[in-house]
Amino acid sequence: MIFLLVHQLQLTSNVHIHNVSIPENLKQLRIITIDGVRVFDFILQTIGTNCKLLGELGLSKCIGVTNRGIVHVVSACGYLKMLDLICCRFISHATMSTIAGCCPNLVCLKLECCDMVTENCLYQLGLNCSLLEELDLTDCSSVDDIALRYLSRFSELVRLKLGLCTNISNIGLAHIACNCPKIIELDLYR
């Protein structure tokens, strides 16, 4: 398995990349983890254009991740099984709908601190991503009992993180308990 790990890389404003040439072996990448760096749309577009077989993409705590960049990469990479968008705070409803529509094979989705995740976003995920086993919604302030009802469609769900989601109650948790028989980890820390 081929993978690329970029950690704590700093791109400065004097770096200019006009024509990105991707070696053939990089086109076979299955895993790309880019944590804690500044990311530009052209990087995500390059990944989407050249890494069609990508199965895992990690953008945790990256600065500069835009809706346009995410839409491009998920639209082009139909094999994504894991997507980590922790602290990508500006992911919109439209982008979440695109993720749901383009990534039906998602097994793991990490959205911690994505403030714009709403019940409608989770409704779309529930309709299209039935294979989801792990979902991290820690500190997603819009998650409520209705969202948990939508999440209860994930019959394969094993891990659900809802820490700091203050708009949920026992009613929403009952939906999860009754409809997600495989769940082994439920994180509700306050």
Side-chain angles (χ1 to χ4, degrees):
M1 182 176 301
I2 300 170
F3 68 95
L4 174 67
L5 174 64
V6 179
H7 186 69
Q8 298 300 325
L9 173 70
Q10 294 300 320
L11 296 176
T12 61
S13 59
N14 62 355
V15 173
H16 299 284
I17 301 174
H18 296 286
N19 293 319
V20 178
S21 177
I22 305 295
E24 283 302 314
N25 61 339
L26 291 183
K27 292 183 179 188
Q28 301 301 312
L29 282 173
R30 300 290 196 277
I31 300 170
I32 297 178
T33 301
I34 308 171
D35 290 338
V37 302
R38 177 166 295 284
V39 175
F40 300 96
D41 283 344
F42 78 87
I43 293 171
L44 296 177
Q45 290 169 351
T46 301
I47 291 170
T49 300
N50 294 287
C51 302
K52 303 287 187 189
L53 301 176
L54 194 64
E56 297 183 21
L57 177 60
L59 299 171
S60 176
K61 301 176 184 170
C62 286
I63 299 166
V65 174
T66 67
N67 289 303
R68 188 171 125 206
I70 293 297
V71 166
H72 186 82
V73 77
V74 300
S75 296
C77 299
Y79 296 102
L80 276 178
K81 289 187 176 187
M82 192 286 289
L83 182 59
D84 183 346
L85 297 174
I86 290 174
C87 294
C88 296
R89 297 186 179 276
F90 304 108
I91 302 302
S92 71
H93 170 72
T95 300
M96 287 299 301
S97 292
T98 302
I99 291 169
C102 293
C103 302
N105 297 316
L106 271 181
V107 175
C108 177
L109 181 59
K110 297 180 180 184
L111 298 170
E112 178 179 340
C113 295
C114 292
D115 300 329
M116 299 178 78
V117 172
T118 65
E119 61 190 42
N120 291 329
C121 298
L122 298 175
Y123 175 77
Q124 292 295 319
L125 284 173
L127 287 177
N128 298 302
C129 301
S130 61
L131 302 176
L132 207 59
E133 294 176 8
E134 181 176 347
L135 181 60
D136 184 350
L137 296 171
T138 302
D139 204 14
C140 292
S141 57
S142 296
V143 173
D144 59 14
D145 289 336
I146 295 169
L148 293 185
R149 184 180 61 185
Y150 296 148
L151 291 179
S152 70
R153 294 180 179 161
F154 298 128
S155 60
E156 299 299 316
L157 198 61
V158 176
R159 287 179 191 80
L160 179 59
K161 295 184 178 188
L162 297 169
L164 302 174
C165 294
T166 57
N167 295 318
I168 61 173
S169 71
N170 289 339
I171 294 168
L173 293 173
H175 287 294
I176 298 297
C178 292
N179 297 301
C180 300
K182 296 182 179 181
I183 200 152
I184 59 171
E185 181 182 338
L186 180 60
D187 185 341
L188 298 170
Y189 82 88
R190 297 273 180 206

